[in-house]
Amino acid sequence: MKRDKALMGEILKQLASFGTLYGDVEKIQSALPGQVAPEVILHHLRLLYDRGLAAVDMHNFWRVTDQGYDALETGGELFGKHETPPPGQRGIDN
């Protein structure tokens, strides 16, 4: 599956729009324009997680990380080089 940076940006924006409520794949899917398959959304959520821009809890609810909000605030540099937090800092939310 190819990476779609525009979709990654849309997913991150949708997660941010949920505010303090976390989003699952179904909620994200319903908020995105068009029909995006759940497995495509999950793949791109994992890519966001790899970059430290999104985090997931044990119930598979996703949220934007502090670094994700910083990336959104930079606008055009959403997917430029970002420092990845140390592995111990990006675990599953409890």
Side-chain angles (χ1 to χ4, degrees), residues 30-44:
S30 67
L32 290 174
Q35 289 291 337
V36 182
E39 59 273 10
V40 173
I41 294 170
L42 186 57
H43 174 72
H44 287 82

Side-chain angles (χ1 to χ4, degrees), residues 6-26:
L7 179 58
M8 290 170 69
E10 284 302 313
I11 290 171
L12 196 61
K13 289 174 190 173
Q14 286 303 322
L15 283 175
S17 76
F18 298 154
T20 57
L21 302 173
Y22 292 3
D24 62 4
V25 172
E26 185 177 294

Side-chain angles (χ1 to χ4, degrees), residues 15-92:
L15 283 175
S17 76
F18 298 154
T20 57
L21 302 173
Y22 292 3
D24 62 4
V25 172
E26 185 177 294
K27 183 175 180 179
I28 295 165
Q29 183 182 29
S30 67
L32 290 174
Q35 289 291 337
V36 182
E39 59 273 10
V40 173
I41 294 170
L42 186 57
H43 174 72
H44 287 82
L45 282 166
R46 288 177 179 152
L47 292 173
L48 290 167
Y49 175 85
D50 290 346
R51 290 178 179 262
L53 303 177
V56 63
D57 69 13
M58 68 176 77
H59 303 290
N60 288 320
F61 284 95
W62 294 82
R63 67 174 178 85
V64 178
T65 63
D66 187 48
Q67 188 174 350
Y69 281 111
D70 288 344
L72 285 170
E73 288 173 4
T74 63
E77 291 299 314
L78 183 61
F79 297 108
K81 273 199 160 191
H82 295 284
E83 272 188 44
T84 304
Q89 304 283 324
R90 291 191 309 134
I92 294 175

